[in-house]
Amino acid sequence: MVANKRKSIPAKVKSILREEVGFGCPVKNCGNPYLEYHHFDPPVNIRAHNEPEGMIALCAQHHKKADGDVYTTEQLHELKKDKVNASIVKGNLDWLRQDLLAVIGGVFYYETPIPVLIDNQEVISIKRDNDGYLRLSVNMLSVQAEERLIIDANSWENIGYPIDLRSPPQGKELEVNYVNGDMLYLRFFVINSAAEASKKYNTNVFETNKDINFPITVVEINMSIGGTTINFSPSDTSFASNTIKGGLISRCGVGLSLANTGVNWLQNPKWKLQSRFEVIDNSNVINVKFGSK
């Protein structure tokens, strides 16, 4: 059987679908802000299309369930029309409108839109959209010529074949692990005062720096790249024989930056070619693949 081909979803369509559901998964009690786009009326195996009236934004897990016919076409249309729930979801994401503090390797990066830059590649960026919401982008690096996680402004674009993936409701945690040791774990939470921050991190930098606006959203970043010496957590960073610790950096464009690493990055070897179109083969789950090869 010859697979259908459909162009990648235009950014404008993604924007319409995200706004429609309040920027989070519309399934009750979910609200996860990291979204995919489900084609259901008609399904893409019936007709390849990118028509927003027949699509809905869902988190990865509920997209998978929708693809398994857990929801009827009528139920999905009702989710699209539920403006009350969309307002509730949007309100629950107010933590994404606060100032951001990234914690990497024992260093605090305040209002820094690119927390992690490696060899001039934006591995992790958290930038604001036109509505003032923080939007996460991830481009995981690997020395393996395999697909790795790509998130573009809170939209899942690629995942590959992780051995473990966690993205609970509300979107305050994101964890992905691959068999070769590539790992990313992000944890978001809110700190309400300088005193609370000082107590949590056992430092006085928040008391002495009056530039920080509380309450604040904190993201703690953990990442390892298998086969390299690049490894960092909220408490320390290591690369080769170097260790970075301590300090607060405010309102810089880039946080942790590693340049001229000498590593031959090989991830996502087919991604640029596949980005021109998506291949559909009796499935509504596009690009994001779960499970083993």
Side-chain angles (χ1 to χ4, degrees):
M1 180 179 64
V2 178
N4 298 321
K5 291 183 179 180
R6 176 179 53 77
K7 291 183 179 180
S8 294
I9 302 169
K12 179 61 176 177
V13 172
K14 291 182 180 180
S15 178
I16 291 170
L17 296 173
R18 286 198 301 265
E19 185 170 0
E20 180 178 67
V21 297
F23 302 100
C25 181
V27 175
K28 297 298 172 64
N29 301 317
C30 183
N32 192 309
Y34 313 122
L35 299 170
E36 295 178 8
Y37 306 93
H38 179 60
H39 301 72
F40 69 94
D41 191 12
V44 288
N45 62 303
I46 302 299
R47 178 169 62 83
H49 71 92
N50 282 317
E51 300 163 359
E53 60 270 19
M55 301 167 63
I56 188 170
L58 297 167
C59 73
Q61 297 301 332
H62 286 120
H63 186 181
K64 187 178 180 182
K65 289 183 178 182
D67 190 58
D69 297 325
V70 170
Y71 311 108
T72 66
T73 298
E74 290 74 20
Q75 287 174 322
L76 292 171
H77 276 298
E78 286 302 314
L79 285 176
K80 284 171 66 68
K81 292 187 293 185
D82 193 343
K83 300 306 179 187
V84 172
N85 188 63
S87 295
I88 292 171
V89 169
K90 191 173 183 179
N92 288 339
L93 295 176
D94 275 350
W95 58 277
L96 289 172
R97 293 177 62 86
Q98 297 170 162
D99 285 0
L100 181 74
L101 181 75
V103 185
I104 315 168
V107 181
F108 305 103
Y109 300 97
Y110 177 62
E111 282 294 279
T112 300
I114 307 173
V116 181
L117 184 76
I118 300 178
D119 285 339
N120 208 35
Q121 299 186 61
E122 295 184 13
V123 179
I124 300 173
S125 64
I126 308 175
K127 302 176 182 179
R128 296 190 186 278
D129 65 11
N130 292 333
D131 296 297
Y133 287 89
L134 296 165
R135 298 302 177 209
L136 173 68
S137 295
V138 176
N139 287 279
M140 283 189 73
L141 300 178
S142 182
V143 299
Q144 301 291 314
E146 299 172 353
E147 292 178 281
R148 289 294 182 263
L149 175 65
I150 298 176
I151 295 176
D152 180 18
N154 278 25
S155 294
W156 291 92
E157 299 293 338
N158 203 34
I159 184 66
Y161 302 91
I163 57 174
D164 185 43
L165 172 67
R166 290 195 314 114
S167 183
Q170 306 307 317
K172 292 187 177 180
E173 287 186 276
L174 175 62
E175 182 175 13
V176 61
N177 292 272
Y178 296 87
V179 69
N180 74 315
D182 293 344
M183 180 276 291
L184 177 67
Y185 174 52
L186 307 178
R187 184 168 77 102
F188 293 87
F189 55 92
V190 174
I191 290 181
N192 291 297
S193 67
E196 183 182 340
S198 298
K199 181 178 179 180
K200 177 172 178 57
Y201 291 110
N202 192 29
T203 177
N204 66 353
V205 297
F206 301 102
E207 303 282 0
T208 58
N209 193 314
K210 303 303 181 183
D211 181 49
I212 298 178
N213 299 312
F214 290 92
I216 194 170
T217 294
V218 177
V219 57
E220 293 185 340
I221 301 177
N222 303 259
M223 194 179 86
S224 294
I225 303 178
T228 76
T229 59
I230 298 173
N231 188 334
F232 53 82
S233 71
S235 59
D236 60 70
T237 296
S238 62
F239 169 59
S241 60
N242 302 305
T243 299
I244 305 170
K245 282 189 177 183
L248 184 147
I249 298 173
S250 180
R251 301 185 187 277
C252 289
V254 176
L256 175 65
S257 178
L258 301 177
N260 303 315
T261 65
V263 178
N264 184 24
W265 303 115
L266 297 175
Q267 75 284 343
N268 299 315
K270 300 177 182 178
W271 177 250
K272 288 185 178 179
L273 292 176
Q274 291 177 341
S275 66
R276 298 176 188 171
F277 60 84
E278 292 169 327
V279 177
I280 315 303
D281 189 3
N282 292 325
S283 171
N284 293 332
V285 177
I286 309 305
N287 284 332
V288 179
K289 301 182 283 294
F290 296 87
S292 302
K293 293 181 181 180

